[in-house]
Amino acid sequence: MIRRPPRSTLFPYTTLFRSRVIVFAILLKWPSDNLVSLGSIVSSSKTKVTLLGYDEPLDWVEDEVAGGIVVSLPSVSPAQMRSQWAWTIKLIGVESFNQAPFKPELPEVKIIPG
């Protein structure tokens, strides 16, 4: 059983792309507990989750508290993966997903007269 990750492991840099029935979630940081929460995914009985560059399917469960799904990444060091900078989770057979617009937090700009 996969436990729900704490809020601190949810990644604001996770981006979702949809191409027909395939959704890709791109991670720019490997979670220390190997769990990724994808709150915008609505799974179905046909949902299959894989990690590009890794041969085995990934375990996942529905997150009944926050919604979406929680994906369990393989228990390997990110250094052992083909890429060490970004990792892509591939989801096939999802019912739907809600992609929130990307809103980066920008520092406040103060204009100093001079």
Side-chain angles (χ1 to χ4, degrees), residues 49-51 54-59 72:
V49 182
T50 58
L51 181 67
Y54 186 73
D55 294 333
E56 302 295 323
L58 301 181
D59 292 330
S72 179

Side-chain angles (χ1 to χ4, degrees), residues 3 5-6 8-11 27 29-36 73-78 87:
R3 64 176 169 71
S8 63
T9 62
L10 305 180
F11 301 105
L27 304 176
K29 182 177 179 183
W30 190 274
S32 59
D33 60 1
N34 293 343
L35 297 177
V36 177
L73 296 177
S75 297
V76 298
S77 165
W87 303 272

